[in-house]
Amino acid sequence: MSLREWYANREILLTGVTSELGQNLLEKILRTFPDVKVNLIVRTRNNLTKDDRVKKIFGSPGYERLREEDPDAISRVTIYEGNLIYDDLGITNEERERMKKKVSIVFHATGPHDAVFQFSEELPKLETLAAASTIFRHKGRINECLQNEHIPNIPLALIRVALLGPPLQEPMQGHVEEVKGTTALMVGAGYVLGDAQKSAELTPIDIASNTLIAAAWERAQRPKDVGAVVYNTATIGCTWGDLIEKGQWATKKFPYPTFGIRGITTIAWLHWTVVLFLEWLPSILCDTIPSDSFEAHSWRKLLICTCSGV
């Protein structure tokens, strides 16, 4: 059975939807499988209800393509008030019973795993639980952050995801909602302390979403009693030096406000000297110069242009 045929007319539970990976994954599922329904577990946060938070996601630039191709896509989404650290995900008995009758695939994009795994064990129609697992290298060793100790006795696809970067293609090439993490390093970093020749273990976020979708299908083709099957996302295959160099080229074409010389070095004293004189001190001066005069504005502009090399 092909991947598209396997997903047809299914009902999915997606947890961690408010994360970057969760948002990208939801958009991909809804746009690719027009007859699939998705259940979300979302908690009220910062005075935004579960519905407000999901509507905000659907109104973001990253969902523009979905809004154009399927304006009613949100009608296929059911949102439950819950929390991933609570038993039964914090949903009501009625909601839990409904999902037991309908859900056959679970995607866990981020957050605590324990309650999600335990809840998935109660789903009689479950064919696959696909969970993202963060991996990182520390002192030459590969470490894995699964955030749980209980591996359920269900068809589990464990997808190892390295650092996430901007999408390669979908839904919009290079689009990010926020400049943070690896994206901030690419476009806004100053003089970084590190080894330029080290491999940048970075995965475009759409590649991670595609891997989750494909891994869920592939795991379902195997016997259920095999246990957890591990899948690895592909990385972009360049060094940190290459990445920062490309970021320098991009910021020349699309200026981004940042102080200092751009680059990467393994020499600690050189790194901290550049940071002190071309990042910290200019920032302090800009914050202390009174802002109610034309001269102050001119001084600020001069500092920024000088330190940025403009």
Side-chain angles (χ1 to χ4, degrees), residues 3 14 38 43 48 57 86 124 127 149 162-163 192 212 225-227 231 233 239 263 293:
L3 183 147
L14 170 59
V38 183
R43 63 189 173 102
L48 292 176
I57 292 172
Y86 295 161
E127 294 192 29
E149 298 177 354
L163 296 171
V192 179
L212 276 158
D225 58 0
V226 169
Y231 303 83
T233 55
T239 65
S293 66

Side-chain angles (χ1 to χ4, degrees), residues 147-167:
Q147 293 182 315
N148 87 291
E149 298 177 354
H150 173 68
I151 300 297
N153 186 27
I154 55 177
L156 174 63
L158 185 61
I159 295 85
R160 286 175 170 163
V161 180
L163 296 171
L164 289 174

